[in-house]
Amino acid sequence: MRIENVNVVVSHPGRNYLTVVVRTVDGTIGLGDGTLNGRELAVAAYLRDHVVPTLIGRSADRIEDTWQFLYRGAYWRGGPVAMAAIAAIDTALWDIKAKQLGVPLYQLLGGRSRDGCLSYGHASGRDASEVIDSALALIESGFSAVRLQLGLAGEPREAPAGSRGGMPYESRWDAATYMRQLPRLFERARAELGSEVHLLHDAHHRLRPVEAVRLARDLEPYRLFWFEDPVQADNYDGLRLIRAQSSTALAAGEVLTTIAQTRTIVQEQLIDYVRTSVTHAGGVTALRRIADFASVYQVRTGFHGPDDISPIGFSAALHLAYSVHNFGIQEYAGYDPLALEAFSPQFMFDNGFLRPGETPGLGVDFDEVTARDQPYEREYLPINRLIDGTLHEW
Ligand code: EZ4
Ligand code: CO
């Protein structure tokens, strides 16, 4: 079935999302997510100017060939902009194929491997009491796994209203304060939330290796499900150091965009969970390969699932999570009601577990007409500075 038309829509149902709408000559519509937080328009231009014109008239059936055409055929490989663009097209083509065959996507990926996908929610707050209250609310709503983030240590969960002027919000962060506060938070969390709940934490690439080693060791008594992104993503030696000295489980990879970039951390088993996403690492085709590669090394999936991945990319991830053997956990940050309205996702959350929709395809819809009334708004991730003003990882 030939591709007749491809629309690239950047809209703002509560936040910015890049949605690709691929239409075949028989009227089948496939949806893809290429949202790259803070750089959405670059992906839109890459698609509109260089990808879409080459897709019109191509066979929508040839998903693998189209993936290779966009990746290998461009000569310039990888990078977050190109890989988000490829992801959007690839996801839309899987949606089309599953719709045309009349099955939910996971059936094309081998059928389900489990009854539901364990998910974790985000608990945050300005101090330990607030974080624990936030975690209790999540547990109350069914979650058996929660990520604990302490706002005071420099993690603004939401960019405050001030950032809505189109400039990034700036926060301050101090490693020593963070490293003092975090073990205390987890000590309290274990005391108040019990030993059964899974606890996670994300260090957002902020630590130097020796700091990360110390923190990973200080956190050992609290048995974290994982400690995420302790050091810069490309600092393999840093991860080796942490790995050699601590038994705290590690997760990394949300900023990686290709299977080749996951190679060292997976093959050397520097991590326990790989965090790549359908939206940022080249789509369903690419993520399936990463999951299979990781399975060889007993590395499990922990696909990135923030609300800056649209319900389309999130649903695609769930079909994979449902079907791959080495699934670990799925991040589920939840969505703004406007986003749920815009995409009508069919996935289900039940007692801490997620399941993809049962309707043919991804199980999402996209209301293009309403999207026109929700145009792009310039918004960026916050930035972090050290106490002396030096720019640091956010
Ligand atoms: O900073 O999605 O694990 N989750 C995260 C996220 C990322 C954002 C980047 O756009 O690290 O909060
Ligand atoms: Co993260």
Side-chain angles (χ1 to χ4, degrees), residues 202 228-229 254 275:
D202 187 353
E228 175 184 347
D229 286 335
E254 71 181 40
R275 295 276 290 143

Side-chain angles (χ1 to χ4, degrees), residues 301-373:
T301 68
F303 300 144
H304 195 202
D307 66 350
D308 54 84
I309 280 174
S310 90
I312 297 172
F314 186 74
S315 298
L318 277 184
H319 284 276
L320 274 164
Y322 209 32
S323 62
V324 299
H325 175 254
N326 57 326
F327 167 76
I329 198 167
Q330 176 61 55
E331 181 179 26
Y332 178 38
Y335 286 102
D336 188 295
L338 286 173
L340 296 176
E341 222 175 280
F343 297 101
S344 316
Q346 304 281 305
F347 65 77
M348 289 152 283
F349 175 81
D350 182 26
N351 212 19
F353 287 82
L354 288 159
R355 278 177 292 129
E358 288 294 336
T359 50
L362 290 168
V364 280
D365 263 313
F366 180 56
D367 180 355
E368 270 187 90
V369 178
T370 310
R372 276 188 228 126
D373 300 328

